[in-house]
Amino acid sequence: MTRAEFMGRLRRGLVGMPTSAAADIASDYETHFEDGAAAGRSEAEVAAALGDPDRLARELRAEAGAQRWHQEKNPSAAAGAVFAVLGLGAIDLLILLPIFMSVVGVLFGFFMAAVGLFIGGGAVMIAGPFAGFPGGVATAILGGIGLMAGATALGALTAIATILLVNATVWYARLHYRLLKPALGEQSPADGKF
């Protein structure tokens, strides 16, 4: 594979990443080719040492998604990290996807229960005193506040479980498939590997 073919496939694989990050990555790989040429290696040898550019692009996108998740901790970053890891093909979809989707379904159920419980608590607190709630006005107000507090606690626990699920997904990908950026930090051009 020539340098132009390698770089073209790598750039196509990086589409969708921030432009500056993709440009930095492309520049790094251009440097590998320049260093290889200076050492007397052919473009084909350097390309073979670097590996499959499509796979590299998927790994780099997954690493970028994982880094964004660790920096931002919001639903958009979580979805980006999970989809980047799934795009990497790091997870055996036939085995882990049904388990993952079941856990996501349970977490969504708990979230919806928390929302319903919160709304119900608000209704008891507001309408209870006027609807003849058993125990009187104070019981209706305190009961409604208690339901709303329980709903808030359930929502908080669901959010924590969701964060743990996203972290576990990213951890699994890194454990089993060593994403490219940490691996590159351990190698040097003197090793004969780029």
Side-chain angles (χ1 to χ4, degrees):
M1 174 182 321
T2 67
R3 176 180 186 167
E5 292 170 339
F6 182 93
M7 293 306 298
R9 286 174 58 187
L10 182 66
R11 284 187 178 102
R12 280 191 299 276
L14 297 176
V15 170
M17 285 183 68
T19 307
S20 62
D24 288 344
I25 291 168
S27 175
D28 288 344
Y29 281 92
E30 289 284 355
T31 302
H32 288 302
F33 279 100
E34 291 167 7
D35 291 346
R41 299 175 74 194
S42 70
E43 289 182 355
E45 290 174 329
V46 174
L50 291 172
D52 179 30
D54 298 323
R55 173 80 181 174
L56 291 173
R58 286 192 303 269
E59 290 173 343
L60 290 163
R61 288 173 64 86
E63 180 63 24
Q67 286 179 352
R68 180 175 171 228
W69 162 248
H70 287 296
Q71 292 171 356
E72 296 180 20
K73 298 281 188 194
N74 62 37
S76 172
V82 169
F83 288 125
V85 170
L86 290 175
L88 177 63
I91 298 176
D92 184 0
L93 295 178
L94 296 175
I95 296 172
L96 293 180
L97 189 59
I99 295 168
F100 183 79
M101 294 308 290
S102 298
V103 172
V104 168
V106 168
L107 289 173
F108 183 74
F110 279 130
F111 175 74
M112 294 309 294
V115 169
L117 193 59
F118 192 86
I119 292 170
V124 167
M125 185 177 77
I126 293 170
F130 304 110
F133 194 80
V137 173
T139 303
I141 292 173
L142 292 176
I145 290 173
L147 287 173
M148 292 170 70
T152 302
L154 181 61
L157 291 174
T158 302
I160 291 169
T162 302
I163 290 169
L164 291 174
L165 178 65
V166 172
N167 284 339
T169 303
V170 170
W171 172 82
Y172 178 85
R174 283 189 171 157
L175 177 66
H176 293 285
Y177 290 92
R178 289 191 187 196
L179 297 175
L180 189 62
K181 190 167 184 173
L184 283 178
E186 299 168 1
Q187 297 177 354
S188 68
D191 297 336
K193 299 177 186 174
F194 290 103

